[in-house]
Amino acid sequence: MKISGVEIQVVQGDITRQEDMAVIVNAANSSLRGGGGVDGAIHRAAGPELKKESSALAPIGPGQAVITGAYRLPNQYVIHCVGPVYGVHKPEDELLASCYRNALRLAEKQQLDSIAFPAISTGVYGYPMQEAAQVMFKTIIEVIAELKHIKKIRIVLFDRPAYELHRQALEACQAE
């Protein structure tokens, strides 16, 4: 799907293997030292240099984002976003939207042409996936008008059910 010249893709795959993307987004914790899920996978693939650089930028709070090098990953950069813990950090929808907004703005500031996102906060942070997908796509569509450099936004989902849910959510946004 294309909106204002920006291609939005939803794919099933491994975010650490998005070789054609300039930057990938990490669903990080506030310490930026790695953890489980997407965060752990990105840190393992990037190597110990990522932990050293990212932990020097910590702590960051829900909705905030910082950028680091990608080290052993095939990308130029990693943007680390701390999503809200559902039911704890309020207002969840605005904090989640801030993750996507801030990541896109950081990538744009670096004049990058492509960015890959995971489904932020939908793992151990407990954000319901359907609701999170709606916040994600609504925010991305709102920010697209500001983008001059980014030409491709990819949402990378690890399993088939998450992929299907996000594909349908994107189609629903397109229909609105």
Side-chain angles (χ1 to χ4, degrees):
M1 162 180 187
K2 272 200 173 188
I3 299 174
S4 299
V6 178
E7 183 179 356
I8 302 175
Q9 303 173 333
V10 176
V11 302
Q12 183 180 349
D14 180 343
I15 197 154
T16 68
R17 296 184 180 200
Q18 303 302 307
E19 295 90 9
D20 61 331
M21 304 304 287
V23 62
I24 61 170
V25 176
N26 181 16
N29 59 49
S30 62
S31 73
L32 303 177
R33 294 176 185 218
V38 168
D39 191 19
I42 288 173
H43 274 268
R44 282 189 299 277
E49 301 88 356
L50 179 62
K51 183 177 181 179
K52 184 177 180 183
E53 182 182 359
S54 62
S55 61
L57 301 171
I60 66 171
Q64 295 180 321
V66 295
I67 191 167
T68 65
Y71 301 97
R72 296 181 194 160
L73 288 161
N75 318 95
Q76 293 173 265
Y77 298 98
V78 176
I79 294 176
H80 308 265
C81 294
V82 177
V85 175
Y86 196 77
V88 175
H89 300 122
K90 304 282 184 176
E92 293 114 340
D93 60 340
E94 185 48 43
L95 290 170
L96 185 58
S98 291
C99 286
Y100 291 100
R101 192 177 302 114
N102 289 332
L104 286 165
R105 289 177 177 157
L106 274 174
E108 184 68 19
K109 186 176 178 182
Q110 292 291 324
Q111 300 182 4
L112 303 175
D113 66 352
S114 55
I115 184 169
F117 286 100
I120 298 169
S121 284
T122 61
V124 296
Y125 284 11
Y127 212 113
M129 197 167 291
Q130 180 72 44
E131 192 178 326
Q134 291 168 349
V135 171
M136 174 201 308
F137 289 121
K138 179 180 178 230
T139 305
I140 287 171
I141 290 167
E142 286 173 2
V143 175
I144 276 179
E146 300 173 21
L147 306 178
K148 291 178 178 56
H149 301 283
I150 298 172
K151 299 300 176 205
K152 187 185 298 182
I153 299 170
R154 181 177 295 157
I155 312 306
V156 182
L157 294 311
F158 193 72
D159 63 31
R160 191 76 184 174
Y163 161 76
E164 289 296 337
L165 185 148
H166 283 79
R167 186 185 57 75
Q168 291 167 6
L170 179 57
E171 286 174 4
C173 283
Q174 186 179 14
E176 290 178 5

